[in-house]
Amino acid sequence: MFKNVIVRIPSPSISEGITSADEGKPIYEKALVQHENYVSALTKTGVNVTVLGPVEEFPDSCFVEDVALCTSKCAIITRPGAETRREEAALPDMIAALKKFYDVIEYIEAPGTIEAGDIMMVGDHFYIGESARTNAEGARQMIAILEKHGLSGQVVQMSEMLHLKTGLAYLENNNLLVAGEFKTAAEFEKFNRVEVEMKEAYGANCIWMNGYVLVPEGYPNVQEKIEALGYKVLVVDTSEYRKIDGGLSCLSLRF
């Protein structure tokens, strides 16, 4: 069960966020409303939400998931692969927020790069995607830290998706949403794989929260498949975040 969530309000500079999508720039006012609705949905799942203020100099800083991995034993501050985001991981308010919940905070060091959007937690085991943002050294350091604390990790090679969780979502109870290259990945054969077609691939980035599943708005087939598994669904519009390669999981740290 998740008890706590950390989010960061987007700043007006969100329109300058990193993107590979060809969908125009996010509209700040709309992004703000969507963020408020996201927080409201999280609150419905029974968690305590810590809200950090906007940071104008980092357009992508609302995507807090990438800068830390929150485990049952420790928090691990990452070293983002996107250079414009690297200093986000050291923002004092984020470190202070994590210290309220964790006695132990670990750090990934150069030349390792890793973004937690590339890490999927399944119990005490962590799947780590080696991507354009997460290199082999970052993954090696992360696994070493996890093992030091009695947890485990393994590397997943990937070539198509931006982040591992761009195409995967673990919904607990052995249920795993899979899209794109992960449909045939050997690492996930033991799961009950719920396949998401490419036209709804963005919808694969859902988050399980205490029996609920937050699903992005506009992906009816994904929603239907999740409801068929017996989960309570909360639909959240993230269209402004999609414009800068962000999804539901990117917008929060959950622990």
Side-chain angles (χ1 to χ4, degrees):
M1 297 288 281
F2 291 106
K3 294 179 181 175
N4 298 293
V5 170
I6 299 174
V7 300
R8 186 185 293 284
I9 297 168
S11 76
S13 65
I14 190 173
S15 59
E16 304 310 314
I18 304 167
T19 184
S20 60
D22 187 21
E23 299 187 21
K25 291 180 181 286
I27 299 161
Y28 170 62
E29 292 75 14
K30 202 171 170 186
L32 214 49
V33 171
Q34 290 182 359
H35 196 268
E36 288 168 3
N37 292 339
Y38 177 72
V39 171
S40 175
L42 288 169
T43 305
K44 284 177 187 169
T45 72
V47 293
N48 166 61
V49 182
T50 298
V51 182
L52 303 181
V55 184
E56 182 69 19
E57 58 265 46
F58 296 112
D60 295 285
S61 58
C62 57
F63 299 131
V64 290
E65 179 178 60
D66 288 320
V67 300
L69 180 69
C70 294
T71 77
S72 57
K73 306 289 177 67
C74 63
I76 303 158
I77 304 297
T78 66
R79 187 167 178 269
E83 283 201 37
T84 56
R85 301 197 62 193
R86 204 154 285 165
E87 291 176 36
E88 279 180 43
L91 284 170
D93 61 345
M94 175 59 79
I95 305 292
L98 289 169
K99 282 183 174 175
K100 285 180 184 172
F101 300 104
Y102 286 99
D103 294 327
V104 181
I105 296 186
E106 304 271 12
Y107 294 83
I108 301 295
E109 297 173 356
T113 65
I114 191 162
E115 296 183 2
D118 278 320
I119 306 174
M120 182 176 73
M121 178 178 76
V122 178
D124 286 337
H125 187 68
F126 295 78
Y127 292 90
I128 302 170
E130 204 174 302
S131 70
R133 302 282 184 86
T134 295
N135 66 17
E137 173 59 15
R140 185 198 67 75
Q141 286 184 38
M142 182 62 75
I143 290 170
I145 292 168
L146 290 169
E147 290 178 347
K148 174 178 152 186
H149 292 282
L151 307 169
S152 59
Q154 74 182 85
V155 172
V156 178
Q157 296 298 331
M158 47 185 286
S159 58
E160 296 170 20
M161 301 284 190
L162 172 67
H163 281 137
L164 185 80
K165 282 190 290 204
T166 304
L168 285 174
Y170 184 56
L171 305 181
E172 303 297 316
N173 306 315
N174 206 48
N175 294 317
L176 182 69
L177 287 183
V178 291
E181 62 186 303
F182 302 122
K183 287 183 180 180
T184 54
E187 292 91 341
F188 307 118
E189 283 177 354
K190 68 177 183 180
F191 294 98
N192 172 38
R193 289 174 294 186
V194 181
E195 295 197 357
V196 176
E197 51 267 51
M198 278 312 290
K199 68 177 182 179
E200 287 203 6
Y202 179 85
N205 184 250
C206 298
I207 44 180
W208 179 92
M209 293 293 293
N210 304 338
Y212 291 86
V213 178
L214 273 66
V215 179
E217 186 176 278
Y219 304 90
N221 294 331
V222 175
Q223 183 180 340
E224 199 174 297
K225 287 179 179 182
I226 293 170
E227 286 172 339
L229 291 168
Y231 297 106
K232 292 174 281 189
V233 165
L234 296 171
V235 178
V236 182
D237 186 1
T238 53
S239 58
E240 296 308 297
Y241 299 94
R242 178 175 176 159
K243 293 175 182 177
I244 49 171
D245 300 339
L248 279 171
S249 74
C250 315
L251 287 163
S252 59
L253 289 169
R254 305 165 297 280
F255 52 97

